[in-house]
Amino acid sequence: MLTTLAMLMTLTATNTAIVRGGQEVDVELVLAVDTSRSMDTEEARIQREGYVSALKHKEFIDAVRNGLTGRIAISYFEWAGDVVQGSVIDWQIIENEQDAIAFANKVEARPVEMQRRTSISAAIVQGATMLVSNSYHGLRQVIDVSGDGPNNSGNPVTPARDKAVEAGIVINGLAIMLRPSGTPGGLDQYYSDCVAGGPGSFVLPVHDIDDFGVAVRRKLVMEVSGIEPQPLIRRIADKPVKSDCMVGEKQWQDMFDR
């Protein structure tokens, strides 16, 4: 059976041929939203409201309008141990307030479906597949991944991340850190080392549920505008040990070995 990573490699090889001649946009943006059961229903609701509010916000709409072409292509899906069936909201052009509200309303209308496990690799492969197979020609291609834990299901996350980056895709992360995830160094460090990638990629942490809406809006504005965050300046002696990108898989296996 063809693995999801092999499928991504095949799509990557034909990426250029697919997008040539498509409508030009400033960015092709995929929102990949975690709905695993490690979040409670209240957190999932706040997360959903954060995306809906951010998509309707004037700051986001102004960022779209101020781009080189003044429009973006956007899509959405939810994931847990795999991509949630029926959660994909297909590509839509946003170039004005009405477009943004229409897309936000589609997101808001979706039922919140919580599922088991966490497969960031499946989310990356789904997002990359949607990017390389659509009919748009974006100046940038971005997967926006939000999540509250490390990869613990499906393929390892780093090969999926690396293949997507090789295809010219940028992956940014929103690390939801409302409760401990068991990742040494913190989930934001794990996302920085194992999930995010590509030129100008970044990770934003969320430590308080009340900050979620602002964090999502800030993230979307940066992705639409192509603004790169200020680099973190560290002394070499203070550089933390690189995250174990298999920590989630090891945690899950430990549960069965006890």
Side-chain angles (χ1 to χ4, degrees):
M1 184 176 72
L2 190 65
T3 67
T4 51
L5 283 178
M7 190 182 305
L8 177 56
M9 291 174 67
T10 301
L11 285 166
T12 299
T14 57
N15 186 13
T16 303
I18 290 172
V19 301
R20 294 303 179 197
Q23 184 176 6
E24 190 170 87
V25 295
D26 289 311
V27 62
E28 302 163 48
L29 175 61
V30 182
L31 307 180
V33 177
D34 181 7
T35 56
S36 59
R37 288 179 183 164
S38 52
M39 288 191 289
D40 61 31
T41 54
E42 176 69 6
E43 291 169 357
R45 181 184 64 80
I46 294 294
Q47 178 180 231
R48 171 70 59 79
E49 291 175 355
Y51 275 96
V52 170
S53 174
L55 289 164
K56 293 181 178 181
H57 200 279
K58 182 179 184 297
E59 191 176 353
F60 168 72
I61 297 165
D62 286 346
V64 172
R65 287 173 170 162
N66 291 333
L68 190 63
T69 70
R71 59 181 173 269
I72 68 168
I74 192 168
S75 60
Y76 173 99
F77 68 88
E78 295 167 357
W79 58 276
D82 205 340
V83 177
V84 177
Q85 291 295 319
S87 71
V88 177
I89 299 175
D90 207 359
W91 292 100
Q92 176 182 314
I93 291 288
I94 293 180
E95 55 186 343
N96 54 46
E97 183 179 13
Q98 291 73 29
D99 296 336
I101 290 173
F103 188 81
N105 287 342
K106 291 179 183 178
V107 174
E108 189 172 28
R110 274 211 35 79
V112 178
E113 300 178 36
M114 313 295 288
Q115 299 194 12
R116 298 176 66 246
R117 306 288 296 270
T118 300
S119 184
I120 304 172
S121 58
I124 290 174
V125 170
Q126 172 71 19
T129 301
M130 292 171 69
L131 284 167
V132 303
S133 62
N134 70 39
S135 61
Y136 300 104
H137 187 180
L139 303 179
R140 289 172 289 114
Q141 293 181 312
V142 178
I143 303 173
D144 175 321
V145 181
S146 68
D148 74 335
N151 193 81
N152 64 28
S153 180
N155 291 316
V157 65
T158 49
R161 185 269 310 276
D162 293 346
K163 288 299 178 186
V165 170
E166 286 174 17
I169 295 167
V170 173
I171 304 171
N172 297 322
L174 188 69
I176 304 172
M177 303 172 66
L178 307 182
R179 57 171 60 94
S181 64
T183 50
L187 186 65
D188 52 347
Q189 187 65 50
Y190 172 89
Y191 260 64
S192 295
D193 290 339
C194 309
V195 179
S201 60
F202 61 88
V203 174
L204 288 182
V206 179
H207 297 282
D208 192 305
I209 199 165
D210 294 331
D211 297 334
F212 195 92
V214 173
V216 172
R217 183 170 75 246
R218 180 184 173 204
K219 189 165 186 282
L220 293 183
V221 168
M222 292 171 68
E223 288 165 339
V224 168
S225 304
I227 298 172
E228 295 190 13
Q230 289 283 69
L232 292 175
I233 301 174
R234 302 178 188 271
R235 291 169 51 201
I236 297 300
D238 295 336
K239 187 177 174 68
V241 177
K242 183 175 171 59
S243 300
D244 178 0
C245 294
M246 295 293 291
V247 64
E249 289 85 349
K250 292 174 182 176
Q251 289 172 350
W252 192 262
Q253 186 60 49
D254 285 346
M255 291 176 61
F256 291 96
D257 291 342
R258 289 173 185 166

